[in-house]
Amino acid sequence: MLASAITFLVALGTLVVFACNGLVTGFFFRRPPRGEGAMGLVVPLIAFLVGGSLVVLAGVLASLRSGRAVADLLGASPFAAGAATTIVTLGVVVAAFIAFVAWMEPIAVPSWARTIRVTIGWSLGLVAPAVLAATLIADAWLGPQWFASTPKAAVALRGACWALPLVALLGFAAGAYAFWQPIRTIVARRHASLAMALSERHALREALRDKSLVQLFAEELDRLSPDAELEEYVGYYVFADGKLDRECRALLASRILARPDLERQLVRTMRSKPYTNRRGAARFMLAAPPEVFAAHRASWALAVAAGIGETGDDMSCRPSWLRERFDGNHEPLELVKELLTLARRFEGTPDHAAIRDAIRKMASDADALTRNKEWTRLAKELERAGFPIPTAEGAGQA
């Protein structure tokens, strides 16, 4: 019964591996698809993982059998032979998988080296899995007595038992290298980023010996193009929020307020993406002194209503909006909180009506969002602001 299960798993898994490394790759002579065509490789990639898992499972089952010919020929204990069978089977499958992946992402090589690459592909991707399959099946059905009476078969089995560990070792080494490469890249980037940050900090410290922080910030703002968009200015409220002191904030606000078409650009920015533009503009209006806020209240109310309405539209179109992080949507719930906080500055003024309608619409749009923990928190924030989501009374308690 166990021998039949091993044979079935080995045969099925090896056929899948052959289909991927043989038919899909054109026996490693075919050029891999590029662009949109490369998406079609997802199916054979998943199939290979399934087929390889079947072969590994067969190796595990084979390691559980007693009276194995492999253990007798190698003079090893049943436990040692079983552990070696499992490890070698996994290594050979990994080597075959590395051969397939290497074909998918080929490195440009001279024409004389292509033959070597094809030879390696055949050795690791086709011959080694075939030898492994034959060894597992023979070991499952033929006992030590049969091999003792068939010297040539015993020599072949002993040769396979020495060759397959070498392939497995190569497979593990290649797998470790492939796994280490992205880690090394991440570490290198982290070190480079840290070095750059330290360099910038050192440069800033040297610059501050001769100039104040506000002078340096003024020079940075002066380097912006004369026709720079408002987004480039309000971005400082998001990306440099913790680095600006009171004088720098006052300078930044004065530069923004000096723009001749501020009202029009503010409406556009509150409706634009990435969402960091919207958050920066909202923080600018939140930080404005009372006298500045009163002077621009009417035009800013239009921008706030536009930003809240656009946020509601995004919610209605993207059910997973609260967990999506593209378009600079790094903290969706915090964006809503800041918009609601900004809206409260207009309470008690004639301009609050349009903002109130926009919040009510956003609460209605929030009903289309996927129900999760973030949605429950959003529902509580809107209810606290006086604008409960229409269905939140029942769904929000779940």
Side-chain angles (χ1 to χ4, degrees), residues 5 11 21 41 46 81 107 143 161 178 192 196 201 211 222 237 254 274 319 351 375:
N21 279 349
L41 294 175
I46 295 175
I107 301 173
C161 291
M196 183 177 296
R201 186 177 301 175
K211 300 178 182 179
D222 290 339
Y237 284 98
S254 66
D351 306 303
W375 185 88

Side-chain angles (χ1 to χ4, degrees), residues 49 56 62 64 78 104 221 248 271-272 291 322 346 375 380 384:
L49 294 175
V56 173
L64 301 177
M104 291 173 55
L221 293 178
C248 290
R271 302 188 66 174
S272 69
E291 62 277 7
L322 283 169
F346 295 87
W375 185 88
K380 291 180 179 178
R384 190 178 297 118

Side-chain angles (χ1 to χ4, degrees), residues 199-236:
S199 177
E200 291 176 352
R201 186 177 301 175
H202 177 73
L204 178 60
R205 187 180 296 112
E206 292 295 320
L208 286 174
R209 292 181 178 180
D210 302 320
K211 300 178 182 179
S212 65
L213 181 61
V214 69
Q215 288 176 316
L216 294 174
F217 187 51
E219 292 178 359
E220 182 172 341
L221 293 178
D222 290 339
R223 285 193 289 269
L224 292 177
S225 172
D227 57 348
E229 299 293 341
L230 179 62
E231 288 87 343
E232 297 191 44
Y233 288 90
V234 298
Y236 285 102

